[in-house]
Amino acid sequence: MASFSMRGCLRNKGITKKRLKLHTKTKKNGMKKAMQERFKRLKTEMEEISDEQKNVREGQRQVREKIEMIESESEQLKKETKMMIQQSARTQVKLALMFRILKAREDDDSTTAANLTQLLCEIVEMEKVIA
């Protein structure tokens, strides 16, 4: 009886070894598939990140262009504002001269009125040259 159980034991060991080899192969194939799937996922994620980075760079480029455009418009507005302030100052000077001319005429001071009128004409001529 002892020999019978030994034979059974040996048979079982042989079957177990085959099963173990198959199980190991299956396990290795499963790990290989899992690794391949992870690599595919990582590759997909890397592509998505790359696309996102491209979108970010494009957005940054557009923002830079808008900032440059705004800065340019700001400079233009500053120039126009400066010109308007200068024009306003010249207008104030001309108005002051006109009121002084009127005052001189009211006071019958024709010499002062003539001098102020001459000065006003010169200022107007200078403005024509500048413009």
Side-chain angles (χ1 to χ4, degrees):
M1 207 170 215
S3 63
F4 178 74
S5 57
M6 285 294 254
R7 283 185 195 155
C9 228
L10 288 175
R11 279 188 198 151
N12 285 343
K13 281 187 178 181
I15 291 172
T16 305
K17 284 183 183 178
K18 286 180 184 177
R19 282 185 183 166
L20 187 61
K21 285 181 183 178
L22 284 174
H23 182 68
T24 305
K25 282 185 179 179
T26 307
K27 196 174 188 180
K28 285 183 182 178
N29 285 340
M31 287 178 17
K32 195 174 185 181
K33 282 185 178 181
M35 288 283 276
Q36 288 174 345
E37 287 175 11
R38 278 189 229 141
F39 282 133
K40 285 180 183 178
R41 266 188 275 129
L42 285 173
K43 186 176 179 181
T44 303
E45 288 176 11
M46 288 173 61
E47 289 172 354
E48 289 173 359
I49 290 170
S50 177
D51 289 342
E52 288 175 7
Q53 287 176 338
K54 286 178 185 175
N55 291 338
V56 167
R57 281 192 293 269
E58 177 64 21
Q60 288 174 337
R61 184 190 62 78
Q62 290 174 353
V63 168
R64 263 193 310 274
E65 287 176 356
K66 286 181 181 179
I67 288 173
E68 289 172 0
M69 187 176 68
I70 290 170
E71 287 175 347
S72 175
E73 288 176 6
S74 174
E75 287 299 317
Q76 183 64 30
L77 287 172
K78 285 178 184 178
K79 288 178 184 177
E80 289 176 10
T81 303
K82 184 179 176 181
M83 288 175 50
M84 291 172 70
I85 290 170
Q86 290 173 348
Q87 181 64 37
S88 176
R90 286 192 296 268
T91 303
Q92 289 292 325
V93 168
K94 289 188 290 186
L95 282 172
L97 280 172
M98 287 178 203
F99 285 124
R100 287 184 62 193
I101 292 168
L102 287 174
K103 181 71 172 158
R105 288 184 181 164
E106 282 179 359
D107 294 341
D108 288 328
D109 190 358
S110 58
T111 310
T112 305
N115 288 339
L116 292 174
T117 304
Q118 181 61 34
L119 181 59
L120 182 60
C121 288
E122 289 174 10
I123 291 172
V124 171
E125 287 299 320
M126 282 181 18
E127 285 181 345
K128 287 181 182 176
V129 171
I130 292 172

